[in-house]
Amino acid sequence: MATVETLGKLSKDSGNEGRGVNIEKWKRISWKNIEKGSTIKKRGPAILSNDDVLGRSPWSSLVTTNDFWGNPIRLEGSHKSYRPLITASFRLQFEWHGLKSELFHGVNLICHIFNSMLVLKLARQMKVIREEFSLFSSLLFACHPITSEAVCSIVGRADLLTTTFILLALTSHITRSNTIRTIFLAVLAVLSKETGIILIPLVVTYDVLFKNPSTKQFRQDITNHFIALSIICYLRLSINNIQSPKFSKNDNPIAHDPNFFTRALTFLYLPIFHLKLIVFPKTLSFDWSMDAIPKVESILDSRFILAAIFYTIGAKMIWELFFERPQDRNSEDYKKNNSVLFLLGFLTIPHILSSNLFTYVGFVAAERILYLNTVAYCILVGYGVDVVCRRFPTTNPLPLLTLLLSIFSYRTIQRVDDWKTEESLFSSALEVNPTKAHMNLGFVFTTQKNFDLAKFHYQQALRKRANLADAWYNLGILTSKTNSTQEAIHYYQKALQSRSNFAAAHLNVALLLHDTNQLQKAFFHLDSCIQNSGDTLKSYRNHRKTQATCAYNKGRFLQKSGHFHVAIENFKLALEIIDGAHFEHTSSVLSSLGTCYNELGDVASAERYFQMAISENHVNSFLTMAHLKIRQNQSYEVERLLQKAMTLAPESVTVLQNIALAEYHMHNYNRSLLFYRKALSLNPSHVESLQGIANLLQESQNYAESELFYRKVMEILPDSYSSHANYGAILHLNQKYEQALKAYDTALLLNPNDDVARENRQKVMRILRRKRNL
């Protein structure tokens, strides 16, 4: 009788999630870390991968410990953005409707409409322009192109809500001052965005200009405001651990320029550049980092000369308005002068915090920060039009105003269209910031599976700047998707040359090196990832999750090679790194621990970890636990476990195959056959199911049908000696001796040490000799 190998046992590869997931999942795990600049990136860390938003962390963490991106704010590498009110609004929306982006955008739009109404109210309260021109100012703000980024980008809600609280405070203060209300709104503004701190200085500026400084009430209000401002500043800085954020050279290259003169000239020009964006919003970009704005390196540079002219004119205007104003406080001219002075202060004061003149920020220029400044600009434009109309009373301004609103509305519509898709947004910035635009377009075309075009854009980005770790990394992902393993390894290594602590690159290159049997190098990269604390990184949470994934994969590799004790240490290290935070692969780690303890014969520990994985609804653990119960003759629990696995993954071929195997072990051959056939109906080429059903049919003495399945396995795995050996064995049983002989010969060519195939071949040779002699 021929000997046939027993095939189709339960997979112990902890990468298998019970849903047909294999090691390729781990190769793609870092795909979500695609680099900065994309809309996914812009809202990804703040929403899509922020545990504070997704409800995976306690509410207290977004108030007491975490920054806007969900990372510990006291770490050196934190962005130091503290906006708990915005994060809370995202979390409430997520709990209400999930990740429906149109509803997130809808809330932003509602905020913008409300702010436009507040602009109308403030313009009327300033009493420098007539009613119809106040309406014009409000409409101009509503349709101004510079506001597009704050409204269209979900994270722009920080600017929208901060502006709401500032305008509410100003309009209510002008109507009837109330220090407690103003301080309360200032706190809300600061909890929305750091620039909210300018609310109190704006209120103080208004009081200085419009109230009598000799009164006791004035002095008391000013004192209270400054005390409140000091307390708010201290508390806000203490949350940062009194640390300033550190930004990369790509984000703000001018701040890293070694020449003080160059830094000074460029930063003096930037306010004028921002003003130009408000006045002439023709050229707009989603990102102004890297080399989008060339440095000003000489006083003869036309941009610096332009800045000097503007500063001179501005200083002269403020001098005349303040020092040459009428002396009568009750006169209309005095009040009008002060209103214009206040609006000029409103235009400039909010920009001071983001100007880089006093402290470096994470950008050279940004359109979203101009949202608040645009309020004052639009009212001043309305004032300018009103002055012209008063001087030329016979002129009808309606056609000109309609034209201006139409031009701005048309440009805003264009900009909204740019923001509709990632491809259109990034393409619109190719002339302004080609490096970042090419990088992000590479990402877009990769997701569209247009790999040639994606590769072109990554290469274009690298031509602009060769040390872009993210572009090299993305090329590595791209080429690994096209099965160019060696090329992908090269790209990952180039990424690591530019950024040695790039955890995701260490992980991905380690997985590829393991696939090519370069085990020592693979473990080196996994260890390099695990040993880097990541305290100085902006994406600390993602870094820690990647570290946990590295520890998990190291344990998985050790488990495969039979080093179960060391594998257990690494699996536990993965759980220690994640420290109770949400980790999408926690259940796989627990299941792997159970598998290792089971291999070591510690059934109690194995069951404990499998139960923990089961509590996480880990499909593979239900299957593994079912097989444990079969070996313990506790078949009464097996059906419940298998049924739960079926409920969680009813269309998983792997689940069906493992259920079929469990039924086989319980001698329920008909049910086993049923599940094997169902698995093959979903995937006719599923090798484990083909092997299992072939074994089952062979043991049921249905040799003819069994042969069909063994042949299919052999066709799918032509380089596997066991598939040829098993096919030869079934041919042997079906008395097809010539074909069996060929199958055994092929098996022995692939593996000369296969004693079973050699023994079976000798039996076939004896049979053939007898037949030939007859």
Side-chain angles (χ1 to χ4, degrees), residues 253-266:
I254 298 168
H256 289 80
D257 193 284
N259 191 316
F260 171 80
F261 191 64
T262 298
R263 293 200 306 274
L265 291 180
T266 307

Side-chain angles (χ1 to χ4, degrees), residues 87-238:
T87 307
S89 74
F90 290 155
R91 182 162 179 163
L92 288 171
Q93 278 197 259
F94 173 75
E95 291 178 355
W96 171 40
H97 57 68
L99 292 171
K100 293 181 180 177
S101 61
E102 61 273 13
L103 295 181
F104 281 96
H105 287 295
V107 172
N108 280 20
L109 184 59
I110 291 169
C111 288
H112 181 58
I113 293 170
F114 184 64
N115 287 340
S116 301
M117 296 168 65
L118 289 173
V119 171
L120 175 60
K121 183 177 181 179
L122 180 63
R124 288 170 174 172
Q125 289 177 323
M126 287 288 95
K127 297 179 181 179
V128 291
I129 52 180
R130 286 172 284 179
E131 183 74 19
E132 60 270 26
F133 297 110
S134 296
L135 179 61
F136 165 74
S137 294
S138 176
L139 292 174
L140 184 63
F141 176 79
C143 69
H144 200 295
I146 205 68
T147 64
S148 302
E149 180 173 345
V151 179
C152 294
S153 174
I154 293 175
V155 296
R157 186 175 303 176
D159 299 277
L160 294 167
L161 210 55
T162 304
T163 300
T164 299
F165 292 128
I166 290 174
L167 290 176
L168 279 173
L170 285 173
T171 53
S172 59
H173 181 78
I174 293 170
T175 303
R176 184 179 179 183
S177 62
N178 184 310
T179 304
I180 295 175
R181 180 186 59 214
T182 299
I183 293 170
F184 174 69
L185 288 171
V187 170
L188 293 180
V190 171
L191 293 177
S192 299
K193 192 175 181 180
E194 296 73 17
T195 51
I197 199 68
I198 60 95
L199 193 161
I200 292 179
L202 285 175
V203 169
V204 170
T205 302
Y206 180 86
D207 285 352
V208 168
L209 291 170
F210 289 95
K211 293 186 178 180
N212 188 347
S214 62
T215 64
K216 181 180 178 181
Q217 185 64 46
F218 174 84
R219 292 193 295 271
Q220 184 177 338
D221 287 346
I222 295 295
T223 302
N224 290 338
H225 284 138
F226 276 114
I227 291 172
L229 180 64
S230 301
I231 293 172
I232 293 172
C233 287
Y234 173 76
L235 292 175
R236 177 61 186 85
L237 290 171
S238 66

Side-chain angles (χ1 to χ4, degrees), residues 126-420:
M126 287 288 95
K127 297 179 181 179
V128 291
I129 52 180
R130 286 172 284 179
E131 183 74 19
E132 60 270 26
F133 297 110
S134 296
L135 179 61
F136 165 74
S137 294
S138 176
L139 292 174
L140 184 63
F141 176 79
C143 69
H144 200 295
I146 205 68
T147 64
S148 302
E149 180 173 345
V151 179
C152 294
S153 174
I154 293 175
V155 296
R157 186 175 303 176
D159 299 277
L160 294 167
L161 210 55
T162 304
T163 300
T164 299
F165 292 128
I166 290 174
L167 290 176
L168 279 173
L170 285 173
T171 53
S172 59
H173 181 78
I174 293 170
T175 303
R176 184 179 179 183
S177 62
N178 184 310
T179 304
I180 295 175
R181 180 186 59 214
T182 299
I183 293 170
F184 174 69
L185 288 171
V187 170
L188 293 180
V190 171
L191 293 177
S192 299
K193 192 175 181 180
E194 296 73 17
T195 51
I197 199 68
I198 60 95
L199 193 161
I200 292 179
L202 285 175
V203 169
V204 170
T205 302
Y206 180 86
D207 285 352
V208 168
L209 291 170
F210 289 95
K211 293 186 178 180
N212 188 347
S214 62
T215 64
K216 181 180 178 181
Q217 185 64 46
F218 174 84
R219 292 193 295 271
Q220 184 177 338
D221 287 346
I222 295 295
T223 302
N224 290 338
H225 284 138
F226 276 114
I227 291 172
L229 180 64
S230 301
I231 293 172
I232 293 172
C233 287
Y234 173 76
L235 292 175
R236 177 61 186 85
L237 290 171
S238 66
I239 290 169
N240 280 15
N241 204 24
I242 318 296
Q243 291 178 338
S244 297
K246 295 181 179 179
F247 300 103
S248 70
K249 187 175 182 179
N250 284 342
D251 291 333
N252 192 344
I254 298 168
H256 289 80
D257 193 284
N259 191 316
F260 171 80
F261 191 64
T262 298
R263 293 200 306 274
L265 291 180
T266 307
F267 287 142
L268 285 170
Y269 163 69
L270 288 181
I272 309 306
F273 175 81
H274 280 101
L275 181 61
K276 178 184 173 184
L277 288 179
I278 298 177
V279 179
F280 301 107
K282 179 178 181 296
T283 302
L284 299 174
S285 172
F286 76 97
D287 195 302
W288 292 92
S289 62
M290 296 187 175
D291 299 321
I293 302 176
K295 299 172 185 176
V296 180
E297 299 178 302
S298 168
I299 58 173
L300 299 179
D301 191 307
S302 60
R303 292 171 296 166
F304 177 73
I305 295 172
L306 178 66
I309 293 171
F310 265 95
Y311 287 132
T312 303
I313 294 173
K316 186 176 186 299
M317 183 186 303
I318 292 171
W319 178 274
E320 290 179 353
L321 286 170
F322 191 80
F323 292 103
E324 299 180 13
R325 59 186 171 174
Q327 297 301 309
D328 184 4
R329 283 181 168 273
N330 296 318
S331 69
E332 289 297 319
D333 288 341
Y334 181 89
K335 292 177 181 179
K336 189 173 290 188
N337 261 31
N338 283 1
S339 293
V340 175
L341 273 171
F342 175 73
L343 289 170
L344 288 172
F346 196 172
L347 178 66
T348 55
I349 291 173
H351 189 68
I352 291 174
L353 293 177
S354 55
S355 65
N356 285 282
L357 292 172
F358 296 99
T359 182
Y360 296 138
V361 295
F363 52 85
V364 179
E367 294 162 24
R368 63 188 177 276
I369 65 166
L370 298 175
Y371 186 83
L372 180 58
N373 307 74
T374 307
V375 172
Y377 168 77
C378 291
I379 298 176
L380 284 169
V381 170
Y383 168 71
V385 174
D386 191 15
V387 168
V388 172
C389 289
R390 288 178 188 276
R391 184 163 296 182
F392 303 100
T394 59
T395 303
N396 182 8
L398 186 60
L400 180 62
L401 300 184
T402 304
L403 177 63
L404 184 61
L405 290 175
S406 299
I407 292 171
F408 272 42
S409 297
Y410 177 71
R411 181 68 183 112
T412 299
I413 291 170
Q414 285 183 321
R415 198 64 188 142
V416 170
D417 285 339
D418 287 341
W419 276 89
K420 280 184 177 178

